[in-house]
Amino acid sequence: MFTATVKSAQDEDISILIQKDNHSWNYLCDCGEASGLTVKEIQNIKVVFISHTHIDHFINFDSIIRHQIGIERRVVIVGPPGIASQVQAKLLGYTWNLIDENAIIYEVRELQSKDKYTSFELQPPLWNLKKVEESEVDYVYQNDDFNVSVVFLDHKIPTVAYKFEEKEKIKIDISKADFKPGKWVKQLKDAFEHQKLDTEIIIDDVSYEAKDLFYLLDIQKGDSLGIIMDHAPSIENHEKIKTHFKSCETVLIESFYLNEDKDFAVKNFHSYAEQSGKIARLSGIKNPIPVHFSRKYSEDQITQLKKEFYASFKQQ
């Protein structure tokens, strides 16, 4: 299960920490000003996901650098076209003569499209931008527990929306048969995961085809989490959101303006409460959460904005 925590205060920019139960690392979505983000949390970040590099989404990357130097491991950064040179520019703004070359490695995955990226490496003290490879992928990041996919939205520039999908859990129900647990359990799970139906499974010296034992498996669908930052309230964006985030469990979605300010939203390529709530409903999102509000609003106005969002989401 995923937990998404907004680490920025009401009068700060947006930064969201993603954590997963029984998982060692943290994941950060956007680097706006965020007084709630601790040094320990920063040092435990495995991947930084950047939607776009407007100042309110990228200004706090300096703090990430500050607290990660010296952790002596690889940190991945995923972001839109141009992100590699922008990360390098941040790093070149400081003097690093006292820093060892093994202090950290940044691997930057610069997205060209939803299924293609170019990877670069940056390492102190010179921070030369080394191109590593180009990859065509279904997921921009994956590990043993979950996958991350993306869709590009329009904010007058391309912005990246991210979806985290926990992998299915395959459990065995021994009570359905008179078998004792053994190494065959893992073999059966592997056969199911890779759909090798004819794999030979031996239990108590008796041979079975894997497909004949699949009835013993209980498949549990994993959790899902979406992060949708700045986007124009356009038909094109909404169609992309509906397709990519269909039936997603939890989605944090930008809701920058009150309904009364929707003209500003259209002009500035931002979403507003009613439209963000509506697209969450049309996408079948189970638990939508409005985030990233204009800093001009008071606490009472943000309360009103949330009411407008949920009224639109629950509309029949």
Side-chain angles (χ1 to χ4, degrees):
M1 185 174 180
F2 296 109
T3 301
T5 306
V6 176
K7 287 293 181 175
S8 38
Q10 181 176 305
D11 60 347
E12 294 178 330
D13 301 321
I14 190 70
S15 190
I16 301 167
L17 190 70
I18 310 296
Q19 296 168 304
K20 186 191 173 303
D21 56 347
N22 301 315
H23 187 82
S24 300
W25 302 106
N26 297 332
Y27 300 84
L28 191 68
C29 290
D30 281 354
C31 296
E33 201 179 355
S35 57
L37 197 59
T38 68
V39 172
K40 184 176 180 180
E41 287 170 338
I42 291 172
Q43 291 179 337
N44 206 41
I45 289 170
K46 184 74 170 178
V47 186
V48 179
F49 297 95
I50 302 294
S51 64
H52 63 299
T53 53
H54 281 164
I55 193 168
D56 56 329
H57 293 258
F58 199 48
I59 192 168
N60 202 44
F61 188 70
D62 288 29
S63 292
I64 306 302
I65 299 166
R66 171 67 182 87
H67 298 303
Q68 286 187 340
I69 289 295
I71 61 175
E72 296 186 346
R73 62 177 174 82
R74 178 179 297 266
V75 176
V76 177
I77 301 166
V78 182
I83 187 69
S85 60
Q86 290 173 308
V87 168
Q88 183 192 36
K90 286 271 194 180
L91 293 163
L92 291 176
Y94 300 96
T95 302
W96 301 98
N97 63 298
L98 300 180
I99 302 299
D100 186 80
E101 64 178 5
N102 296 318
I104 194 169
I105 297 175
Y106 280 114
E107 176 190 335
V108 185
R109 299 181 181 180
E110 181 170 302
L111 302 174
Q112 311 304 323
S113 66
K114 65 183 181 63
D115 52 13
K116 184 177 180 179
Y117 67 78
T118 304
S119 58
F120 300 85
E121 284 186 357
L122 290 154
Q123 199 166 354
L126 300 179
W127 303 109
N128 293 320
L129 195 59
K130 176 186 175 184
K131 182 177 178 180
V132 179
E133 62 180 352
E134 293 188 356
S135 303
E136 293 191 17
V137 294
D138 293 326
Y139 303 105
V140 298
Y141 177 78
Q142 55 185 324
N143 56 40
D144 291 340
D145 293 325
F146 62 87
N147 303 316
V148 182
S149 58
V150 303
V151 63
F152 277 79
L153 302 177
D154 177 31
H155 179 49
K156 206 174 181 179
I157 58 169
T159 66
V160 187
Y162 295 93
K163 181 169 70 171
F164 295 71
E165 294 178 279
E166 190 178 27
K167 295 181 179 179
E168 291 181 338
K169 294 180 180 178
I170 305 173
K171 296 190 175 182
I172 191 87
D173 188 351
I174 298 292
S175 66
K176 292 180 180 179
D178 190 23
F179 298 141
K180 294 181 180 179
K183 65 179 183 180
W184 66 269
V185 173
K186 183 179 186 306
Q187 293 170 347
L188 182 62
K189 289 180 178 180
D190 289 342
F192 179 84
E193 185 176 352
H194 298 98
Q195 284 300 290
K196 295 181 178 179
L197 307 185
D198 300 328
T199 297
E200 182 183 34
I201 305 293
I202 298 176
I203 307 174
D204 296 332
D205 297 324
V206 179
S207 178
Y208 301 85
E209 287 190 350
K211 63 185 178 184
D212 295 328
L213 298 174
F214 285 169
Y215 73 95
L216 296 172
L217 300 177
D218 180 22
I219 313 304
Q220 298 180 356
K221 182 176 173 58
D223 192 18
S224 54
L225 171 71
I227 306 294
I228 305 174
M229 286 293 104
D230 302 11
H231 63 284
S234 65
I235 293 174
E236 182 181 6
N237 278 342
H238 289 166
E239 288 301 315
K240 289 182 178 181
I241 290 171
K242 283 193 292 183
T243 299
H244 196 71
F245 295 94
K246 181 180 180 181
S247 302
C248 198
E249 189 69 31
T250 301
V251 172
L252 282 68
I253 182 169
E254 180 233 8
S255 306
F256 204 73
Y257 287 108
L258 286 160
N259 293 345
E260 67 184 37
D261 290 331
K262 64 182 179 182
D263 289 343
F264 288 111
V266 173
K267 178 182 178 181
N268 295 321
F269 289 75
H270 275 287
S271 191
Y272 56 99
E274 181 181 45
Q275 285 297 299
S276 291
K278 179 180 178 181
I279 192 55
R281 169 169 48 84
L282 294 176
S283 301
I285 293 166
K286 297 177 179 62
N287 178 34
I289 302 172
V291 295
H292 193 31
F293 317 115
S294 171
R295 286 168 53 163
K296 74 176 184 176
Y297 291 141
S298 66
E299 187 173 343
D300 288 342
Q301 287 175 307
I302 290 176
T303 299
Q304 177 60 30
L305 190 156
K306 292 178 180 178
K307 288 180 179 178
E308 293 175 353
F309 174 91
Y310 286 113
S312 179
F313 173 68
K314 296 174 182 178
Q315 185 177 354
Q316 300 297 323

